[in-house]
Amino acid sequence: LDDPGLDNVAGEEFLQEVLQILLEEGVRKGTDVTQKVCDWKEPLELRELMDLELRSDGEGRERLLQRCRDVLRLSVRTGHPRFFNQLFSGLDHHALAGRFLTETLNTSPYTYEVAPVLVLMEEEVLAKLRELVGWSGGDGIFAPGGSMSNMLAMNVARFWRFPESRSRGNWDLPRLALFASQESHYSIQKGATFLGIGTDNVHLVQTDERGKMIPEQLEKEIQRVKAEGSEPLFVCATSGTTVLGAFDPLDAIADICARHGLWLHVDAAWGGSALLSPKLRHLLAGIHRSDSVTWNPHKLLMVGLQCSAFLLRDTSGLLQRCHGVGATYLFQQDKFYDVSLDTGDKSPQCGRRADGLKLWILWKAVGSQGLGWRVERAFAATRYLLEQVKRREGFQLVVEPEFLNLCFWFIPPSLRGQESSPEYWDKLGKVAPAIKERMIRRGSMMVGYQPHGSRVNFFRQIVTNPAVTRQDLDFFLDEIQELGWDL
């Protein structure tokens, strides 16, 4: 014990080499349009290439450095301009610097004493997000993803209506009813399971042809549930649905919630960043009337996974009262500083990532106007692609996009003019999976597909990366056409 158990000099030399590998393989090649989006390997082959077995003896520096290269080389390059597969993509250098800082500091922003800078940063970022929602005050916390933010909303809503649920659980409560649209995120049903409310008590409200919740149907569902003896509690409206990108009519839904005394939560994980654009914030008109909001800057703002804000309009300390237990080894009340800055007890978590830092760095770098410009540029890219899809033979829209979700079918020549055939839709549903397999094996790009209700598999193209150019968008359509021509 007289000497350190770590060789800091050797460790720093190793880190310097790893950082160089990260810059070259992860950043430069990872965002280079001439590189593959992925170097696809089958699971058995990949296991052999990576030599994943953990052994009793450690490996030397050169072998470890090669493993770092292999991890980057054989992983999907989500920062690539032709990665359109998820609601997140691209790589921002300022946000990445924030992620490096977060990992280096390796602390949890639950108390001011161990994370003074990060606690104040989180407070500032959350206040700015609430301001964009339209609230002059409020509360909030960063959570590990939009699903958990939605679950926090459900838990806080239950405590708001039935504070005794915190100590007694669900035993003495009436049968609670939650409402969300048919297009809502699956985390609402998962949350009902997690909180013991039950998925049978999540009532999915009918949507229109664009995927928006129909307020009149919400009213009918509430009345029906009341008549059956359940207690309506919580409505989740969605601003930017996952598949179609629909924005529910928030003002009309807020009127219904006010009339029935229900908690209104807005899942704006995807569409919340439109609030940064003066041209697009109308999509979320009425969001200021909500009780809580989920907003994921790691999606459209390209902050990097994970960065999800749970925002609360309440100023009475509801979040603290709902989740806090006042552990005396962590949240002592006789500290020498303002203990209101020890915000960790607002979260169900103890250890928690400082997810606000990378957003703060990015915001400092480009400002609110720069973030808004990114949203508008992504919207412009989608409009361009939309016009190209309409013009090109063999491409057919699923629905006119409201935001950034461009959903379409590619119809190979062999199927054109065969719409009246009984096998047409079955055959068309196999086209998108076949094209995707070909593009991934080629490594040229990546885009998602899915069925939706009665609609067979179609492509869902998402642009969030400001590095994407018109050339990339033209390539995208050309590649689908080439890969699917002979199907």
Side-chain angles (χ1 to χ4, degrees):
L1 297 177
D2 292 332
D3 297 312
L6 292 173
D7 187 340
N8 288 327
V9 173
E12 288 180 14
E13 291 176 353
F14 176 73
L15 270 181
Q16 286 179 346
E17 294 187 74
V18 170
L19 289 171
Q20 190 59 43
I21 292 170
L22 285 172
L23 184 60
E24 182 61 33
E25 296 287 338
V27 177
R28 290 175 185 157
K29 289 185 179 179
T31 58
D32 184 351
V33 75
T34 67
Q35 298 288 319
K36 288 184 175 184
V37 173
C38 66
D39 183 5
W40 178 258
K41 307 293 180 188
E42 295 296 335
L44 182 59
E45 181 185 8
L46 187 57
R47 288 179 185 277
E48 292 176 353
L49 283 171
M50 289 299 299
D51 183 20
L52 297 173
E53 183 184 350
L54 300 173
R55 301 179 177 88
S56 58
D57 294 328
E59 297 179 338
R61 188 180 68 176
E62 289 304 319
R63 190 74 185 95
L64 290 173
L65 291 173
Q66 184 57 48
R67 293 198 180 282
C68 292
R69 293 187 188 94
D70 290 342
V71 167
L72 293 168
R73 179 175 61 86
L74 296 170
S75 293
V76 175
R77 290 172 166 142
T78 63
H80 196 287
R82 293 173 183 172
F83 175 84
F84 305 109
N85 206 67
Q86 315 299 146
L87 298 182
F88 64 87
S89 68
L91 184 149
D92 181 272
H93 299 84
H94 298 102
L96 183 59
R99 293 154 77 183
F100 287 156
L101 288 169
T102 300
E103 295 303 319
T104 303
L105 290 171
N106 189 38
T107 192
S108 174
Y110 45 30
T111 64
Y112 181 80
E113 65 183 281
V114 296
V117 174
L118 303 178
V119 165
L120 297 182
M121 274 184 183
E122 180 170 274
E123 188 179 69
E124 180 65 28
V125 172
L126 290 170
K128 192 66 177 178
L129 295 176
R130 289 195 301 268
E131 178 187 321
L132 287 164
V133 168
W135 300 331
S136 58
D139 205 347
I141 203 82
F142 279 98
S147 292
M148 287 304 302
S149 290
N150 287 341
M151 291 183 198
L152 291 183
M154 298 162 72
N155 196 42
V156 170
R158 181 174 59 180
F159 175 78
W160 161 74
R161 176 74 71 81
F162 301 103
E164 67 274 18
S165 66
R166 174 186 161 101
S167 56
R168 299 180 188 174
N170 289 330
W171 299 108
D172 293 334
L173 302 186
R175 182 171 183 172
L176 302 179
L178 315 178
F179 304 87
S181 85
Q182 294 172 337
E183 299 290 321
S184 61
H185 193 258
Y186 64 79
S187 58
I188 303 303
Q189 299 203 47
K190 282 196 173 185
T193 301
F194 190 74
L195 296 172
I197 294 171
T199 57
D200 286 351
N201 298 308
V202 177
H203 304 276
L204 299 181
V205 180
Q206 185 180 345
T207 57
D208 63 18
E209 70 281 355
R210 299 287 295 275
K212 300 170 179 286
M213 182 190 289
I214 302 173
E216 295 78 10
Q217 294 298 320
L218 172 62
E219 177 70 36
K220 288 180 181 178
E221 277 296 297
I222 292 171
Q223 296 290 0
R224 182 184 65 80
V225 164
K226 281 185 173 181
E228 292 176 354
S230 292
E231 181 77 18
L233 170 70
F234 173 94
V235 174
C236 176
T238 309
S239 289
T241 58
T242 304
V243 178
L244 300 181
F247 287 74
D248 289 340
L250 300 182
D251 268 321
I253 294 171
D255 287 342
I256 294 171
C257 289
R259 186 159 57 249
H260 292 280
L262 307 183
W263 184 281
L264 174 57
H265 174 67
V266 177
D267 178 2
W270 173 224
S273 295
L275 291 170
L276 285 153
S277 165
K279 298 178 182 178
L280 296 172
R281 63 175 293 119
H282 69 274
L283 293 170
L284 297 98
I287 192 170
H288 65 285
R289 300 177 63 188
S290 64
D291 296 291
S292 57
V293 170
T294 290
W295 183 346
N296 285 10
H298 72 233
K299 289 187 165 72
L300 185 48
L301 298 186
M302 219 170 55
V303 176
L305 290 164
Q306 60 198 28
C307 189
S308 177
F310 172 61
L311 307 174
L312 197 63
R313 185 172 58 171
D314 175 83
T315 58
S316 71
L318 185 63
L319 195 58
Q320 174 75 32
R321 287 183 283 117
C322 179
H323 295 135
V325 294
T328 54
Y329 63 85
L330 194 57
F331 303 112
Q332 304 93 334
Q333 296 303 297
D334 55 357
K335 292 180 179 180
F336 63 93
Y337 59 83
D338 180 3
V339 295
S340 68
L341 294 170
D342 289 355
T343 57
D345 221 12
K346 296 178 182 180
S347 170
Q349 298 169 261
C350 183
R352 193 164 57 86
R353 289 171 57 89
D355 290 326
L357 170 54
K358 54 198 169 189
L359 178 55
W360 183 87
I361 288 278
L362 173 59
W363 213 315
K364 280 289 191 181
V366 304
S368 300
Q369 289 186 345
L371 294 176
W373 174 83
R374 288 188 179 186
V375 177
E376 291 171 7
R377 190 183 190 281
F379 189 77
T382 303
R383 297 300 103 179
Y384 172 79
L385 201 60
L386 170 63
E387 292 306 314
Q388 297 304 309
V389 165
K390 288 180 175 179
R391 291 174 185 171
R392 292 199 182 205
E393 185 179 5
F395 289 83
Q396 180 180 330
L397 277 179
V398 172
V399 65
E400 190 81 17
E402 185 174 21
F403 193 43
L404 303 180
N405 302 45
L406 186 66
C407 301
F408 65 91
W409 289 287
F410 174 70
I411 305 170
S414 65
L415 290 179
R416 295 174 194 172
Q418 304 297 314
E419 290 82 358
S420 60
S421 168
E423 298 86 16
Y424 174 79
W425 290 107
D426 182 59
K427 290 179 179 178
L428 182 58
K430 298 175 181 177
V431 170
I435 292 176
K436 180 159 187 178
E437 179 181 352
R438 290 178 175 184
M439 75 174 65
I440 289 180
R441 292 189 182 281
R442 182 182 284 190
S444 57
M445 62 184 193
M446 195 175 288
V447 65
Y449 74 84
Q450 66 280 303
H452 182 264
S454 62
R455 300 177 176 115
V456 299
N457 285 319
F458 55 83
F459 288 112
R460 179 191 54 160
Q461 204 269 12
I462 303 291
V463 177
T464 61
N465 185 355
V468 172
T469 65
R470 183 179 285 107
Q471 182 180 2
D472 295 316
L473 299 175
D474 291 338
F475 174 88
F476 171 77
L477 296 179
D478 291 341
E479 186 76 349
I480 284 183
Q481 186 166 301
E482 178 184 334
L483 294 172
W485 191 259
D486 64 343
L487 292 174

